[in-house]
Every structure is written in structure tokens, then in C-alpha cells.
Amino acid sequence: MSPSNIHVPDRCRTVTEILSRVGDKWTVQVVMRLGGGPKRFNELRRMVEGVSQRMLTLTLRGLERDGLVTRTVFPTIPPRVDYALTGLGCSLLKTVRELGEWAIENREEILEARRRFDEGESSPASDAA
């Protein structure tokens, strides 16, 4: 057995915790929107369909805490606050975009698999098992 196949509980907890953050539906949408450059809170709120003010606030705080987003306050009246991806956030954006491309490329196959499953047909993968 290679070392990469050994179950390490601490690593599993870490991976689960981080994937919970970056796989959250609001996180993915916010990261995608910030990929176009810094945005103000209300600008993000208009861009992320269906997100409440409270949920966007919580999402941005979590992303800032995890080092994925920076929050910059400009000393104007009223104060201006911009949110932007950090280098780490940009690396997540790259991964999210690749996952999105994978979803688009495989959409038809997934829809066909769902159809077969819903109709009670066996899938090619289950035939081999």
C-alpha cells in the first residue's frame, strides 16, 4: 500500500472542513464574481442571484478568514469597501473554473446516467461490479 492510500483522520478532517468552505454554493458564486476584479458588497449582492445580505456577509467573512478574499476599506464618506481575491483565492478560482468546465463537458453523460437510474436501468459501471 502506498503512503497516499493510508487513511489519516486528521487529514480527512482538514480536507472535509476546507471542502465544506470552498464547495459551498455561495462561495463558488462569490469567487467566480470576484474573478473579474474587486467588487463592492452591493455589487456582489446584485450579481449573486438569491443570496441574502446576511448570507453574503457570512460568506465574505469566511472567505476573508480563510485567506481567500481581502476586504479593503477606503476612508471616504460614506466609507467604500472593496472585496478582492487573494493569490490563494485566485488559485481556487482556477480550480472552480476547471470544475465548471468538467461539468459542462460531461453534462450530457450525467443526464443520461440520471435518466437510466430513474428508469431503473442498470448503469454500465454497476454491470462491471
Side-chain angles (χ1 to χ4, degrees), residues 1 11 16 22 26 32 34 36 40-41 43 45 51-52 67 81 87 91-92 105 108 110 113 118 120 127:
M1 177 180 287
R11 286 187 183 167
T16 299
V22 300
W26 301 121
M32 289 298 295
L34 289 175
R40 295 176 81 172
F41 183 88
E43 186 178 9
R45 192 165 154 211
V51 71
S52 67
V81 179
S91 70
L92 174 59
E105 289 169 8
E108 292 303 318
I110 291 168
D118 292 346
D127 292 341

Side-chain angles (χ1 to χ4, degrees), residues 31-32 88-101:
V31 167
M32 289 298 295
L88 186 61
C90 288
S91 70
L92 174 59
L93 174 65
K94 180 179 181 258
T95 302
V96 167
R97 282 183 174 155
E98 289 172 356
L99 185 57
E101 289 170 11

Side-chain angles (χ1 to χ4, degrees), residues 30-31 34 60 63-65 67-71 83-86 89:
V30 167
V31 167
L34 289 175
L60 287 166
L63 290 169
E64 186 180 7
R65 180 175 183 249
L68 300 166
V69 166
T70 58
R71 180 178 182 268
Y83 295 91
L85 293 177
T86 63

Side-chain angles (χ1 to χ4, degrees), residues 12-28 59 62-63 66 68 92:
C12 288
R13 279 190 291 275
T14 299
V15 169
T16 299
E17 177 187 340
I18 291 171
L19 287 179
S20 291
R21 157 61 58 212
V22 300
D24 172 80
K25 109 178 186 179
W26 301 121
T27 294
V28 169
T59 300
L63 290 169
D66 290 344
L68 300 166
L92 174 59

Side-chain angles (χ1 to χ4, degrees), residues 102-117 123-125:
W102 178 89
I104 290 166
E105 289 169 8
N106 292 285
R107 182 176 186 270
E108 292 303 318
E109 187 174 343
I110 291 168
L111 291 174
E112 177 59 22
R114 287 178 182 173
R115 185 198 62 75
R116 282 193 313 268
F117 182 89
S123 66

